[in-house]
Amino acid sequence: MKKVALVTGATSGIGHAIASRLISEGYRVFGTGRRSRENIPVPLLPYGLEYLQMDITNPDSIESTVLEVIAEAGRIDILIACAGMGIAGSVEETTFALASHQINVNFLGTAQTIKTCLPHMRNQSFGRIIIIGSLAGRIGMPYQAYYSSSKFALEGFTEALRYEVKPFGIDVCIVEPGDFRTGFTDSRQKIFGTTPAYATRAKIVLEKQEKDEKNGDNPEKVAILVVRLLAKRKLPIRASVGPMVQRLGAWLKRIIPAKLFEKIYTIYYSIR
Ligand SMILES: NC(=O)c1ccc[n+]([C@@H]2O[C@H](COP(=O)([O-])OP(=O)(O)OC[C@H]3O[C@@H](n4cnc5c(N)ncnc54)[C@H](OP(=O)(O)O)[C@@H]3O)[C@@H](O)[C@H]2O)c1
């Protein structure tokens, strides 16, 4: 019997690559995005994907999507919680509404999707949940405080959830990508210019960050890692993927004094 996977954010980038790879590995894959099926050109979806419309900021939408998968396939073995977006700008310039939206999509939306799948996984005494976090959830990114916070929150969420669901045969892992070439960079909402005091430094940093993303790895690399993780008997707590120098940065942060790491990062972004 084919294992059944639900991949959020399967219309683009990392989610698209993971869904495609799982299909080619023989999984039955349901994938989600916010648009209705009719509004997505078929060639843009992974071949063989069973597409469902879902907005992860809307609990009713999540509930009905999960119930639809259960009605169609009878189970959800694997959840890849990938949907997400980013905002950039100084904390002072970011409105409460935009900050809330960032946290609602990346953290609460992901948490709600997982919560909705849990009773089904618990009933079937099996589940594998892979959360797509970010290396920005290990290192605070300048002028992306809310994005980083949403991904830091997922780190704590993953650690805590693992204890809760282990007795039910459910395993959880957070995958932490560095920079990847996806639609993420162009979709980013930027808030600059309302406070000139921040403008120059913010511009320097964001240009560097976006250049790194555009020169980032192919999302296929995340998909290969996910398939490798799913083949394991037990999932690790976290796994990073992406350009070596960025993964080294996260490792370095763990072993050197915090102030020294901050200094290195400041030099990297030319914002001394
Ligand atoms: N690219 C990178 O360098 C990078 C690095 C680290 C982590 N990540 C993480 O990887 C994940 C995927 O990003 P990506 O790079 O593949 O970006 P992407 O190409 O922009 O894809 C984002 C996906 O999320 C979906 N999405 C966005 N908001 C949603 C919402 N409210 N409800 C449901 N679906 C929503 C989009 O679907 P629709 O637009 O069709 O609704 C799309 O499928 C994100 O969590 C991101 O934070 C990316």
Side-chain angles (χ1 to χ4, degrees):
M1 204 171 64
K2 282 187 172 188
K3 283 237 159 65
V4 178
L6 173 61
V7 180
T8 70
T11 57
S12 173
I14 293 173
H16 187 290
I18 294 172
S20 306
R21 175 65 60 155
L22 290 178
I23 292 166
S24 69
E25 293 285 324
Y27 291 80
R28 180 171 182 188
V29 183
F30 293 84
T32 75
R34 284 164 297 178
R35 283 163 289 177
S36 66
R37 170 101 218 191
E38 308 77 66
N39 286 325
I40 303 189
V42 172
L44 289 191
L45 290 175
Y47 182 72
L49 183 84
E50 298 181 55
Y51 180 78
L52 298 168
Q53 182 180 14
M54 178 173 110
D55 184 337
I56 63 167
T57 61
N58 178 344
D60 293 338
S61 165
I62 299 171
E63 180 77 33
S64 63
T65 301
V66 168
L67 289 179
E68 206 171 327
V69 177
I70 295 295
E72 284 287 322
R75 54 192 294 119
I76 299 177
D77 298 300
I78 290 141
L79 170 66
I80 311 291
C82 181
M85 49 76 72
I87 65 170
S90 68
V91 168
E92 200 179 318
E93 290 171 295
T94 305
T95 61
F96 181 76
L98 198 53
S100 307
H101 183 61
Q102 177 71 93
I103 301 298
N104 278 338
V105 177
N106 288 11
F107 175 56
L108 292 175
T110 299
Q112 187 66 25
T113 308
I114 292 167
K115 172 186 149 79
T116 310
C117 289
L118 281 180
H120 304 286
M121 290 182 165
R122 199 161 43 75
N123 284 340
Q124 67 203 23
S125 302
F126 181 84
R128 296 282 176 271
I129 298 170
I130 295 189
I131 298 170
I132 304 299
S134 172
L135 285 179
R138 301 281 294 280
I139 300 167
M141 301 286 286
Y143 303 99
Q144 293 195 45
Y146 291 104
Y147 177 71
S148 266
S149 302
S150 71
K151 296 295 186 178
F152 267 77
L154 287 174
E155 294 281 341
F157 184 84
T158 303
E159 287 179 9
L161 181 65
R162 281 174 60 90
Y163 296 109
E164 293 181 21
V165 297
K166 191 172 174 227
F168 311 121
I170 304 171
D171 208 352
V172 190
C173 170
I174 184 162
V175 165
E176 304 161 334
D179 286 329
F180 283 85
R181 299 184 301 273
T182 67
F184 190 82
T185 309
D186 288 338
S187 306
R188 175 177 284 123
Q189 284 179 259
K190 292 172 251 191
I191 319 100
F192 289 123
T194 53
T195 313
Y198 289 105
T200 311
R201 277 161 66 98
K203 188 168 177 291
I204 293 170
V205 171
L206 192 68
E207 275 174 7
K208 173 96 185 104
Q209 289 167 342
E210 296 206 330
K211 189 170 163 221
D212 287 347
E213 286 166 8
K214 285 181 173 149
N215 293 325
D217 279 345
N218 186 324
E220 186 61 20
K221 214 164 159 179
V222 187
I224 291 167
L225 171 69
V226 165
V227 167
R228 230 183 37 233
L229 290 173
L230 290 174
K232 287 180 187 291
R233 208 168 56 79
K234 284 184 180 165
L235 294 176
I237 302 172
R238 49 178 60 84
S240 63
V241 59
M244 175 63 89
V245 65
Q246 296 175 358
R247 287 188 292 133
L248 261 176
W251 173 79
L252 203 62
K253 189 187 171 196
R254 286 210 323 260
I255 61 165
I256 66 172
K259 281 270 193 186
L260 178 58
F261 184 83
E262 190 181 66
K263 187 103 201 144
I264 295 170
Y265 225 51
T266 306
I267 294 167
Y268 179 74
Y269 281 119
S270 318
I271 49 170
R272 269 176 284 178

